[in-house]
Amino acid sequence: MAPSAHPSSSPLLTSKEEEKYADVKWDELEFALVPTDYMYVAKYKQGESFSEGEIVPYGDISISPCAGILNYGQGLFEGLKAYRTEDGRITLFRPDENALRMQTGADRLCMTPPSPDQFVEAVKQTVLANNKWVPPPGKGALYIRPLLIGTGAILGVASAPEYTFLIYTSPVGNYHKASSGLNLKVDDKHRRAHSGGTGGVKSCTNYSPVVKSLIEAKSSVFSDVLFLDAATGKNIEEISTCNIFILKGNIVSTPPTSGTILPGITRKSISELARDIGYQIQERNVSVDELLEAEEVFCTGTAMVLKAVETVTFHDKKIKYKTGEEALSTKLHLMLTNIQTGVVEDHKGWMVDISS
Amino acid sequence: MAPSAHPSSSPLLTSKEEEKYADVKWDELEFALVPTDYMYVAKYKQGESFSEGEIVPYGDISISPCAGILNYGQGLFEGLKAYRTEDGRITLFRPDENALRMQTGADRLCMTPPSPDQFVEAVKQTVLANNKWVPPPGKGALYIRPLLIGTGAILGVASAPEYTFLIYTSPVGNYHKASSGLNLKVDDKHRRAHSGGTGGVKSCTNYSPVVKSLIEAKSSVFSDVLFLDAATGKNIEEISTCNIFILKGNIVSTPPTSGTILPGITRKSISELARDIGYQIQERNVSVDELLEAEEVFCTGTAMVLKAVETVTFHDKKIKYKTGEEALSTKLHLMLTNIQTGVVEDHKGWMVDISS
Ligand SMILES: Cc1ncc(COP(=O)(O)O)c(C=O)c1O
Ligand SMILES: Cc1ncc(COP(=O)(O)O)c(C=O)c1O
């Protein structure tokens, strides 16, 4: 070992190894908050354009008790991941898609969003500022959480006079602890979204309402909840934070994005990969009956990437699906994670290298 | 005039008159934020009970960017009013009802609420601390806004590990500027709530989704929007922040509180008053067709109390309703405001005197 210019015994200086990585037990990462060093903050005031934004130390923000987000739920979020590749690069998965989705959401909630360019640039800056927190290859990812929230004070129901665009990050491991498939419960009591509502955008208002279902399901050993459409209660929609696919024969089906489910970026990517290997993809209403007769079922989302569903329980029926080595879900999971982690070359133009 | 011990010319001392009232142009009050001196804050940490809470200077709060309210919309609010009576008392209108409604809402959003006693006591303390801001009799009211929000940091969708119960106030005048009746637009595109959702509680998640409808309606000279039920699109539900009633003959009808509309406290009170003067009250589904054939239509809510609807527009139909001196809405408005402002004696036990 070459002698170091900065002896590691100095309390003020860190060794090369310590410089590269934050002090995290990488093997024990879950999907839980591990605060990192920096966050990004930009502000928009009515009549002006978005401020340039800056990287500041991660910490609490100061907000009016009368802010739109605290009183009327005027807030959107996004979620994406940064990966560290074996050859030492740091990459983002399709950040432009998240930027565009925030535009749609902002329109629905009557907010002015940062431009897609500012969004992607801000994500890059935030990840680079926190680069010590991007897990080593294979150990997880840096989860990135952009928020667009109404921080201006407003008494009556209206759009707030000021918005804050903020990005924080957290290194994460796997979303669901179990390495086996998901055990889903079909919720036939609570609905998640209705047509003409906000189910099609990543509005904060879609999430607290599902916590009750989630708690009920998890208390009786389910991993998550599958919601049905509010209009008929006959068709499947999505899970609390991911999209759903079913496989029967050569056909992979997934509910259409017609305003009540989130247009998932993983959903879109997995559809493309399945098509690439010869499956037919149908975006259409999928009834519970069809779900119960499927060969495979799987879920997609940024947090979990792709997860096979082992069982679905609907009232007193419990159906078991194919999972494991031979399953399409396993194949698609590998195809996507290989691209995301840089194990195979990205011919799709999905990965954005931000380390160079 | 008796000589004052504190000459009003002293910059540090205020005259009696200045002491009693804050420096507000009482005749120009609208329904807009006028910050007052103090707010109330109490915290709940998972596994503990609610802290006692304290009155602190009104101002920004410090909150984690990862808080449940900012990311997942875990928040409830309430709205009630304090009045100053001609004989100098300060009273609250049915604060126990708001306390109970917050309990129901907290259960739906999986939060621990303050006890009803703590709620009412906190409201009293907040109003008394801000008593200079309670408008003179007849000039409006002190609007009180209790919030219960998930302030604990949480990365995955779940209930936050800490909640904050906060109360702030603002003197307010009339909610709708026009002194004549409302001109409502029936929104046949956006829906407000679905069965199995959170429409029946005062969740922040019900409000930002309606801003788009409101902006669209207000931009074409409507005062507010009337939403239809998400299931069939045939029945009327409520306005963005108030309940609706229709009158035909001797029958006053209002949609039932079956989970998709807020059980308004003004709604309940007005129903009781209408019954007292011989009207029959029906809580049942009311179709758009019936609405269009009603003799009178009116709305109720804390902010506006009771407001006659002058016109309803549904697609290209515009219906005009009876308003003015002879209307039932005028009579009911007077009955309720007379009780609220202490002009007539309260035989209902609705008013809580907090000045003694
Ligand atoms: C409700 C919901 N559906 C689906 C998804 C999946 O979307 P994506 O693949 O873009 O992460 C998410 C977010 O992760 C979600 O919150
Ligand atoms: C959606 C909605 N409906 C109705 C009401 C009326 O309720 P209350 O009379 O308790 O103020 C409100 C609140 O004020 C509301 O926000």
Side-chain angles (χ1 to χ4, degrees):
Chain A
M1 216 173 150
S4 166
H6 311 299
S8 66
S9 58
S10 156
L12 282 174
L13 298 168
T14 54
S15 74
K16 264 279 162 81
E17 191 57 17
E18 280 162 349
E19 266 171 19
K20 184 164 178 190
Y21 285 114
D23 183 20
V24 173
K25 291 190 173 129
W26 300 112
D27 288 314
E28 292 171 23
L29 276 179
E30 298 183 359
F31 195 88
L33 183 70
V34 176
T36 63
D37 298 327
Y38 298 101
M39 62 186 189
Y40 172 97
V41 181
K43 301 235 176 208
Y44 170 89
K45 283 197 173 50
Q46 229 155 60
E48 300 174 14
S49 57
F50 249 104
S51 74
E52 240 187 48
E54 48 179 351
I55 297 290
V56 297
Y58 174 83
D60 288 1
I61 61 170
S62 180
I63 188 171
S64 165
C66 205
I69 180 69
L70 301 185
N71 292 264
Y72 301 127
Q74 194 184 27
L76 294 166
F77 71 95
E78 270 302 331
L80 67 163
K81 281 178 173 173
Y83 296 89
R84 193 185 295 272
T85 62
E86 285 290 352
D87 59 0
R89 294 173 298 125
I90 293 179
T91 60
L92 298 173
F93 180 65
R94 310 190 80 172
D96 47 319
E97 292 283 339
N98 299 88
L100 290 177
R101 193 163 61 187
M102 182 166 276
Q103 304 276 316
T104 324
D107 178 65
R108 180 64 186 83
L109 292 194
C110 305
M111 288 193 276
T112 301
S115 71
D117 282 352
Q118 177 169 8
F119 181 102
V120 174
E121 183 54 34
V123 166
K124 285 184 191 174
Q125 284 181 30
T126 316
V127 173
L128 289 178
N130 293 301
N131 74 80
K132 290 198 298 182
W133 300 89
V134 183
K139 299 292 183 194
L142 187 70
Y143 182 78
I144 305 152
R145 170 62 57 90
L147 291 179
L148 178 64
I149 53 181
T151 41
I154 189 110
L155 192 64
V157 175
S159 188
E162 182 201 87
Y163 313 125
T164 298
F165 175 49
L166 185 152
I167 307 178
Y168 65 89
T169 62
S170 173
V172 294
N174 292 322
Y175 191 70
H176 288 278
K177 279 171 219 157
S179 59
S180 54
L182 302 176
N183 295 296
L184 297 183
K185 178 187 162 188
V186 179
D187 189 333
D188 202 13
K189 191 168 71 182
H190 299 111
R191 303 287 185 249
R192 184 183 166 275
H194 55 272
S195 144
T198 56
V201 297
K202 219 162 159 67
S203 167
C204 68
T205 59
N206 301 329
Y207 295 85
S208 65
V210 308
V211 169
K212 201 173 177 73
S213 300
L214 268 180
I215 291 180
E216 281 174 20
K218 288 185 178 173
S219 74
S220 44
V221 306
F222 294 106
S223 358
D224 214 319
V225 170
L226 172 56
F227 291 98
L228 302 180
D229 76 295
T232 72
K234 290 201 159 58
N235 298 318
I236 62 173
E237 294 232 308
E238 60 179 337
I239 321 302
S240 63
T241 57
C242 54
N243 295 114
I244 188 163
F245 287 83
I246 69 165
L247 170 73
K248 181 113 191 208
N250 187 46
I251 301 174
V252 174
S253 306
T254 192
T257 54
S258 48
T260 54
I261 69 163
L262 195 76
I265 297 161
T266 324
R267 172 183 177 280
K268 187 173 171 177
S269 310
I270 284 291
S271 294
E272 192 170 326
L273 294 175
R275 209 176 283 119
D276 287 353
I277 56 172
Y279 286 85
Q280 192 187 324
I281 308 296
Q282 298 187 347
E283 298 201 16
R284 57 171 180 87
N285 287 337
V286 176
S287 69
V288 178
D289 291 343
E290 262 192 275
L291 167 77
L292 301 179
E293 282 160 16
E295 290 155 21
E296 280 187 43
V297 178
F298 52 88
C299 297
T300 62
T302 295
M304 64 176 58
V305 184
L306 185 150
K307 200 82 176 142
V309 173
E310 203 163 299
T311 67
V312 164
T313 302
F314 179 60
H315 297 309
D316 49 5
K317 264 192 209 145
K318 181 171 179 173
I319 310 291
K320 217 173 143 33
Y321 302 97
K322 182 172 166 187
T323 59
E325 293 288 291
E326 302 299 310
L328 172 64
S329 60
T330 305
K331 182 163 192 163
L332 290 173
H333 178 261
L334 196 69
M335 285 174 76
L336 183 53
T337 53
N338 276 347
I339 297 175
Q340 289 175 329
T341 57
V343 171
V344 304
E345 208 184 321
D346 164 31
H347 296 294
K348 301 280 188 189
W350 287 347
M351 305 310 296
V352 176
D353 186 341
I354 61 169
S355 46
S356 46
Chain B
M1 215 174 151
S4 167
H6 310 301
S8 66
S9 57
S10 157
L12 282 173
L13 298 167
T14 53
S15 74
K16 265 276 162 83
E17 192 55 18
E18 278 162 354
E19 266 171 22
K20 182 162 177 191
Y21 285 115
D23 183 19
V24 173
K25 292 192 172 126
W26 300 112
D27 288 315
E28 292 171 23
L29 276 181
E30 298 184 0
F31 195 89
L33 183 70
V34 176
T36 63
D37 298 326
Y38 298 100
M39 61 186 188
Y40 173 96
V41 180
K43 302 235 175 211
Y44 170 89
K45 283 197 173 49
Q46 228 155 60
E48 299 174 16
S49 58
F50 249 104
S51 74
E52 241 187 47
E54 47 178 353
I55 296 290
V56 298
Y58 174 83
D60 288 1
I61 61 169
S62 180
I63 189 171
S64 165
C66 205
I69 180 69
L70 301 186
N71 292 263
Y72 301 127
Q74 195 185 27
L76 294 166
F77 70 95
E78 270 303 331
L80 67 163
K81 282 180 174 171
Y83 296 89
R84 192 185 296 271
T85 61
E86 287 289 353
D87 58 359
R89 294 172 299 124
I90 293 179
T91 60
L92 298 173
F93 180 65
R94 310 189 81 172
D96 47 317
E97 292 284 337
N98 298 88
L100 290 176
R101 192 163 63 187
M102 182 166 274
Q103 305 276 317
T104 324
D107 179 65
R108 181 63 187 83
L109 292 194
C110 304
M111 289 194 274
T112 301
S115 71
D117 282 350
Q118 178 168 9
F119 181 103
V120 174
E121 184 52 36
V123 166
K124 285 184 192 175
Q125 284 181 28
T126 316
V127 173
L128 289 178
N130 292 302
N131 73 79
K132 289 198 298 183
W133 300 89
V134 182
K139 299 292 184 192
L142 186 70
Y143 182 77
I144 306 153
R145 170 61 58 89
L147 291 179
L148 179 65
I149 53 181
T151 41
I154 189 109
L155 193 63
V157 176
S159 189
E162 183 200 88
Y163 314 125
T164 298
F165 174 50
L166 185 152
I167 307 178
Y168 64 89
T169 62
S170 173
V172 295
N174 291 321
Y175 192 69
H176 287 279
K177 278 170 221 158
S179 59
S180 53
L182 302 175
N183 295 296
L184 298 183
K185 179 187 162 187
V186 179
D187 190 333
D188 202 13
K189 189 167 73 184
H190 300 110
R191 302 288 184 248
R192 183 184 167 274
H194 55 273
S195 144
T198 56
V201 298
K202 218 163 160 68
S203 166
C204 69
T205 60
N206 301 330
Y207 295 86
S208 66
V210 307
V211 170
K212 202 173 176 70
S213 300
L214 267 180
I215 291 179
E216 281 174 21
K218 288 185 177 174
S219 75
S220 43
V221 306
F222 294 107
S223 3
D224 214 319
V225 170
L226 172 57
F227 291 98
L228 302 180
D229 75 296
T232 71
K234 289 201 160 55
N235 297 319
I236 62 174
E237 295 232 307
E238 59 180 337
I239 321 303
S240 63
T241 57
C242 53
N243 295 114
I244 188 164
F245 287 82
I246 69 165
L247 170 73
K248 181 114 190 207
N250 187 45
I251 300 175
V252 174
S253 306
T254 192
T257 54
S258 49
T260 54
I261 68 163
L262 195 75
I265 297 161
T266 323
R267 173 184 175 279
K268 187 173 169 176
S269 311
I270 284 291
S271 294
E272 193 171 325
L273 294 175
R275 210 177 283 118
D276 287 352
I277 55 170
Y279 286 85
Q280 191 187 325
I281 307 295
Q282 298 188 347
E283 297 202 16
R284 57 171 179 86
N285 287 337
V286 175
S287 69
V288 178
D289 291 343
E290 261 191 278
L291 167 76
L292 301 180
E293 284 160 16
E295 290 155 20
E296 279 188 43
V297 177
F298 51 89
C299 297
T300 62
T302 294
M304 64 176 58
V305 186
L306 184 149
K307 199 84 175 140
V309 172
E310 201 163 302
T311 66
V312 164
T313 302
F314 179 60
H315 297 310
D316 49 7
K317 262 192 210 144
K318 181 171 178 174
I319 310 291
K320 217 173 146 28
Y321 301 97
K322 182 172 167 187
T323 58
E325 292 288 291
E326 301 300 310
L328 173 64
S329 59
T330 305
K331 182 164 193 162
L332 290 172
H333 178 261
L334 195 69
M335 285 175 75
L336 183 54
T337 52
N338 276 347
I339 296 175
Q340 289 175 329
T341 56
V343 170
V344 303
E345 208 184 324
D346 164 30
H347 297 294
K348 301 281 187 188
W350 287 346
M351 304 311 294
V352 176
D353 186 342
I354 63 171
S355 46
S356 47

